[in-house]
Amino acid sequence: MSVSEMFAALQGALGQDQDIREEIRKEVQTLEQTAREILTLLQGVHQGPGFQHIPKKCQKAREHFGTVRTQMESLKTKFPADQYYRFHEHWRFVLQRLVFLAAFVVYLESETLVTREAVAEILGIEADRERGFHLDIEDYLSGVLTLASELARLAVNSVTAGDYSRPLRISTFINELDSGFRLLNLKNDSLRKRYDGLKYDVKKIEEVVYDLSIRGLNKEATVGAGGEK
């Protein structure tokens, strides 16, 4: 084979690779649009009347995740099944965003931390990497850390809306989350940096709880803790 023939073959391989990346990019764009729609929907809980409509917003978000599952099925067909990590960077960000959104919905519904397996099911992908397109552990953890920041914001807005018990429950949840992350030996630089931000979320929520205590509103919150969340 001549040099020109060798480089012609290489150009063909590069062209095929570029075509795959372009197809992936198009699918990721549709996922990003759906993620934006879910985020916009859930942001309504931060507004005063939004607390009254949490169940309806979560139900609507679940419907959007049906669209996500369809889009994920399409994405899976755009690249060889054994080359997940070769193209992972293309969907890493949107997948982390979707993990956060799924975790936020589950928290709003039950005030519990969603498992990686449950998130994978919500998104229509696998939890086990051996089974193909899966939810990478670091992507799951990144999404959970974004949830922590969102809950810190929710704690502040809860007080504004007159819900004084929710910040106390959020504080308990975030402290348990922080304890869980302390058990991990994080090597990934990006994930480590994001985890470092968790201490600021913990501090922000502690300030909210402290303010409630100073104003005597924590007693009111404790009395009402047996009511609806």
Side-chain angles (χ1 to χ4, degrees):
M1 181 182 293
S2 66
V3 172
S4 60
E5 289 174 334
M6 290 172 58
F7 275 83
L10 291 173
Q11 177 56 39
L14 289 173
Q16 291 177 357
D17 187 78
Q18 186 59 39
D19 289 343
I20 291 175
R21 294 180 185 278
E22 181 60 24
E23 289 298 314
I24 291 174
R25 186 186 66 81
K26 292 177 181 178
E27 294 297 335
V28 168
Q29 284 182 333
T30 63
L31 279 169
E32 289 173 341
Q33 177 59 37
T34 305
R36 283 193 292 270
E37 292 171 1
I38 298 173
L39 180 61
T40 299
L41 173 68
L42 294 178
Q43 288 301 295
V45 305
H46 291 287
Q47 301 170 4
F51 290 96
Q52 303 170 16
H53 306 296
I54 284 178
K56 290 183 179 180
K57 290 183 181 298
C58 289
Q59 181 181 358
K60 188 65 176 177
R62 292 264 184 188
E63 294 174 4
H64 281 294
F65 278 114
T67 301
V68 170
R69 288 191 289 273
T70 299
Q71 293 168 341
M72 282 293 187
E73 284 299 321
S74 181
L75 175 58
K76 294 174 188 177
T77 67
K78 302 305 179 183
F79 64 96
D82 61 345
Q83 297 185 20
Y84 176 90
Y85 282 107
R86 181 180 182 187
F87 301 105
H88 177 240
E89 282 297 314
H90 289 279
W91 59 74
R92 179 175 61 86
F93 175 79
V94 70
L95 193 56
Q96 291 175 2
R97 173 63 63 86
L98 289 168
V99 169
F100 149 62
L101 294 171
F104 194 27
V105 168
V106 170
Y107 179 84
L108 291 173
E109 291 174 337
S110 62
E111 297 192 355
T112 59
L113 176 63
V114 68
T115 64
R116 185 165 68 99
E117 291 75 15
V119 175
E121 183 178 352
I122 291 171
L123 302 183
I125 58 180
E126 303 292 340
D128 184 355
R129 64 182 297 175
E130 302 301 325
R131 300 182 64 179
F133 196 107
H134 63 283
L135 176 56
D136 184 84
I137 293 177
E138 291 180 353
D139 289 337
Y140 166 74
L141 293 175
S142 292
V144 169
L145 287 170
T146 303
L147 171 67
S149 297
E150 192 73 7
L151 292 181
R153 179 186 172 203
L154 186 64
V156 174
N157 291 328
S158 296
V159 175
T160 303
D163 185 345
Y164 304 130
S165 64
R166 190 180 298 272
L168 303 182
R169 302 196 303 273
I170 290 176
S171 178
T172 299
F173 177 83
I174 293 297
N175 277 291
E176 290 177 351
L177 195 63
D178 184 43
S179 296
F181 269 95
R182 290 178 185 276
L183 297 176
L184 303 178
N185 183 19
L186 299 176
K187 300 293 186 180
N188 180 289
D189 290 340
S190 175
L191 186 60
R192 178 71 198 187
K193 289 178 181 178
R194 297 192 66 175
Y195 165 62
D196 288 341
L198 180 59
K199 62 183 178 183
Y200 297 107
D201 296 324
V202 171
K203 182 179 179 181
K204 183 176 182 180
I205 297 170
E206 286 178 345
E207 289 174 350
V208 173
V209 173
Y210 177 74
D211 185 59
L212 289 174
S213 177
I214 292 297
R215 295 160 59 187
L217 296 175
N218 61 329
K219 296 179 180 179
E220 177 182 336
T222 303
V223 171
E228 292 185 2
K229 294 178 180 180

